[in-house]
Tab-separated table of all heavy atoms in Angstrom:
chain	number	residue	atom	x	y	z
A	36	GLY	N	-41.217	52.382	-21.701
A	36	GLY	CA	-40.000	51.604	-21.826
A	36	GLY	C	-38.804	52.509	-21.800
A	36	GLY	O	-38.884	53.720	-22.084
A	70	MET	N	-50.929	51.073	-47.657
A	70	MET	CA	-51.849	52.160	-48.002
A	70	MET	C	-51.107	53.333	-48.666
A	70	MET	O	-49.974	53.616	-48.303
A	70	MET	CB	-52.526	52.725	-46.743
A	70	MET	CG	-53.421	51.717	-46.022
A	70	MET	SD	-54.053	52.514	-44.479
A	70	MET	CE	-54.872	51.119	-43.690
A	91	PRO	N	-40.149	79.869	-40.185
A	91	PRO	CA	-41.165	80.487	-39.295
A	91	PRO	C	-42.518	80.405	-39.975
A	91	PRO	O	-42.714	80.926	-41.083
A	91	PRO	CB	-40.675	81.936	-39.141
A	91	PRO	CG	-39.239	81.901	-39.496
A	91	PRO	CD	-39.084	80.829	-40.518
A	103	PHE	N	-54.160	68.159	-44.895
A	103	PHE	CA	-53.583	67.899	-46.211
A	103	PHE	C	-54.025	66.549	-46.784
A	103	PHE	O	-54.220	66.397	-47.977
A	103	PHE	CB	-52.060	67.998	-46.171
A	103	PHE	CG	-51.527	69.384	-46.422
A	103	PHE	CD1	-52.271	70.495	-46.090
A	103	PHE	CD2	-50.278	69.568	-46.963
A	103	PHE	CE1	-51.817	71.775	-46.343
A	103	PHE	CE2	-49.796	70.840	-47.202
A	103	PHE	CZ	-50.572	71.955	-46.876
A	115	ALA	N	-65.702	71.648	-44.310
A	115	ALA	CA	-65.336	70.548	-43.414
A	115	ALA	C	-63.911	70.741	-42.880
A	115	ALA	O	-63.641	70.476	-41.692
A	115	ALA	CB	-65.456	69.230	-44.126
A	127	CYS	N	-57.377	72.667	-28.111
A	127	CYS	CA	-55.995	72.859	-27.607
A	127	CYS	C	-55.781	74.287	-27.124
A	127	CYS	O	-54.644	74.671	-26.802
A	127	CYS	CB	-54.986	72.512	-28.694
A	127	CYS	SG	-55.049	70.764	-29.174
A	138	SER	N	-42.055	80.021	-34.217
A	138	SER	CA	-40.706	80.255	-33.697
A	138	SER	C	-40.701	81.132	-32.460
A	138	SER	O	-39.699	81.218	-31.759
A	138	SER	CB	-39.837	80.922	-34.792
A	138	SER	OG	-40.340	82.167	-35.158
A	162	LEU	N	-51.218	57.913	-33.145
A	162	LEU	CA	-49.994	57.456	-32.490
A	162	LEU	C	-49.152	58.688	-32.209
A	162	LEU	O	-48.828	59.455	-33.106
A	162	LEU	CB	-49.174	56.493	-33.407
A	162	LEU	CG	-49.906	55.279	-33.924
A	162	LEU	CD1	-48.940	54.394	-34.734
A	162	LEU	CD2	-50.570	54.485	-32.844
A	173	LEU	N	-46.621	70.967	-15.664
A	173	LEU	CA	-47.941	71.529	-16.017
A	173	LEU	C	-48.267	71.225	-17.480
A	173	LEU	O	-49.366	70.749	-17.820
A	173	LEU	CB	-47.985	73.019	-15.794
A	173	LEU	CG	-49.254	73.737	-16.293
A	173	LEU	CD1	-50.500	73.190	-15.613
A	173	LEU	CD2	-49.138	75.240	-16.107
A	214	ASP	N	-36.246	45.578	-24.091
A	214	ASP	CA	-35.406	44.831	-25.027
A	214	ASP	C	-36.232	44.404	-26.247
A	214	ASP	O	-36.096	43.278	-26.756
A	214	ASP	CB	-34.806	43.598	-24.365
A	214	ASP	CG	-33.686	42.999	-25.179
A	214	ASP	OD1	-33.051	43.710	-25.982
A	214	ASP	OD2	-33.438	41.763	-25.060
A	237	GLY	N	-34.892	49.474	-14.823
A	237	GLY	CA	-33.732	49.209	-14.037
A	237	GLY	C	-33.602	50.059	-12.803
A	237	GLY	O	-32.513	50.406	-12.385
A	251	VAL	N	-44.975	57.628	-7.938
A	251	VAL	CA	-43.845	56.719	-8.179
A	251	VAL	C	-42.577	57.418	-7.732
A	251	VAL	O	-42.218	58.487	-8.266
A	251	VAL	CB	-43.733	56.335	-9.654
A	251	VAL	CG1	-42.497	55.455	-9.880
A	251	VAL	CG2	-44.978	55.586	-10.124
A	275	VAL	N	-17.691	25.888	12.978
A	275	VAL	CA	-16.660	25.825	14.003
A	275	VAL	C	-17.290	25.324	15.250
A	275	VAL	O	-18.274	25.865	15.730
A	275	VAL	CB	-15.985	27.177	14.193
A	275	VAL	CG1	-14.942	27.086	15.310
A	275	VAL	CG2	-15.350	27.682	12.909
A	276	ASP	N	-16.656	24.308	15.825
A	276	ASP	CA	-17.130	23.750	17.093
A	276	ASP	C	-16.619	24.668	18.191
A	276	ASP	O	-15.408	24.773	18.426
A	276	ASP	CB	-16.594	22.345	17.287
A	276	ASP	CG	-17.128	21.702	18.576
A	276	ASP	OD1	-17.772	22.431	19.377
A	276	ASP	OD2	-16.889	20.509	18.752
Side-chain angles (χ1 to χ4, degrees):
M70 296 177 187
F103 270 29
C127 297
S138 62
L162 306 184
L173 173 61
D214 194 26
V251 176
V275 177
D276 182 352

